[in-house]
Amino acid sequence: ETYVTALRIGYFGRLWVGLSMTLFIAEVCGKAYPSLVKAIAGIFNMFVYFFILNLENNRLYYKHMEFKMVGDFPTLPHSGGLIYYVYTFLNFFYAILCVYLIVRAYIREKNDTAKKRNLVLIIAVFSLVASYVIYFFKLVQLARIFDVMIIGYAVCTTFMLIAIVKYKMLDTTAAAKNYVVDELSEGIIVVDNDNNVNYYNKPAQKLFP
């Protein structure tokens, strides 16, 4: 009972990692998703958590589970149910989408600082994807008795923090400047030496949709 309770508490946070990562990477890459899509994804996560809260009373998340001690190490061998596999494949989709978005942004980026930031984010995303794959396919012995995704989350979070702090991704001064430029009445379009559009504000978008 203690193990299952700890599992529920852990899932309260980890359930949102894939979706949160995807929305964050999309924001960094300038990709906006409709509010309806975000709402549906959030509702689905809450739907999944309902089944996790009632693990013992349904077989839709874990079809079978049992408590075993492997030496001094507590484990919960289990087989997944329908909701478990849907949620797992959705996380794979989130991970692949993150990889696609950040790698594409890295290739297209001309600014050296932004390129280095994107490289750190690529390492963060790949560490998360690797932990998903290792855990799901049990590629190492440790994954058979331990949820290695926890390690992936830790590595991913570390590199995310490096990217955020070192490259001032949450710098309020820069955000304020961007807001002011975005809200100007004049249209502004920024192009690089190869004539690629790097930035445009709202008035420019209205003038040239």
Side-chain angles (χ1 to χ4, degrees):
E1 291 79 7
T2 305
Y3 195 108
V4 173
T5 299
L7 195 69
R8 290 193 185 106
I9 295 170
Y11 264 105
F12 183 75
R14 66 182 290 179
L15 195 69
W16 300 93
V17 172
L19 176 59
S20 301
M21 170 72 86
T22 304
L23 294 177
F24 180 80
I25 294 296
E27 185 77 19
V28 170
C29 298
K31 176 73 174 176
Y33 292 103
S35 298
L36 180 61
V37 173
K38 297 176 185 177
I40 291 173
I43 291 169
F44 176 76
N45 274 13
M46 289 187 282
F47 175 75
V48 171
Y49 194 59
F50 170 79
F51 287 98
I52 293 170
L53 286 175
N54 296 276
L55 276 177
E56 300 96 329
N57 303 320
N58 72 85
R59 296 192 175 186
L60 286 173
Y61 196 78
Y62 284 165
K63 188 182 293 184
H64 167 77
M65 63 178 180
E66 58 180 316
F67 182 79
K68 283 186 177 180
M69 294 296 295
V70 179
D72 294 326
F73 198 85
T75 66
L76 193 78
H78 59 267
S79 58
L82 176 63
I83 300 296
Y84 172 82
Y85 283 110
V86 171
Y87 169 69
T88 300
F89 283 118
L90 184 62
N91 273 319
F92 273 124
F93 170 75
Y94 286 147
I96 292 168
L97 182 59
C98 283
V99 169
Y100 168 74
L101 288 174
I102 197 64
V103 169
R104 186 182 69 165
Y106 176 80
I107 293 171
R108 292 183 173 184
E109 186 60 63
K110 303 294 183 181
N111 181 279
D112 287 339
T113 302
K115 208 170 182 70
K116 290 176 183 176
R117 177 204 66 195
N118 287 349
L119 181 60
V120 176
L121 291 175
I122 286 173
I123 296 171
V125 171
F126 267 101
S127 64
L128 192 61
V129 173
S131 68
Y132 278 155
V133 173
I134 291 170
Y135 177 74
F136 189 75
F137 294 104
K138 304 293 186 282
L139 298 182
V140 297
Q141 187 62 34
L142 181 63
R144 300 181 187 279
I145 61 170
F146 179 72
D147 187 351
V148 293
M149 284 193 291
I150 301 299
I151 300 173
Y153 291 151
V155 175
C156 175
T157 302
T158 301
F159 279 99
M160 290 285 286
L161 286 172
I162 291 172
I164 290 169
V165 174
K166 185 173 181 180
Y167 298 102
K168 300 180 180 179
M169 295 176 69
L170 300 181
D171 183 14
T172 52
T173 304
K177 289 176 181 176
N178 290 339
Y179 177 79
V180 170
V181 172
D182 217 32
E183 298 300 323
L184 285 174
S185 58
E186 293 82 8
I188 296 176
I189 301 172
V190 180
V191 296
D192 61 20
N193 291 332
D194 299 320
N195 293 322
N196 297 311
V197 176
N198 284 346
Y199 171 80
Y200 52 87
N201 65 356
K202 289 179 182 177
Q205 187 177 17
K206 289 180 181 177
L207 286 169
F208 307 105

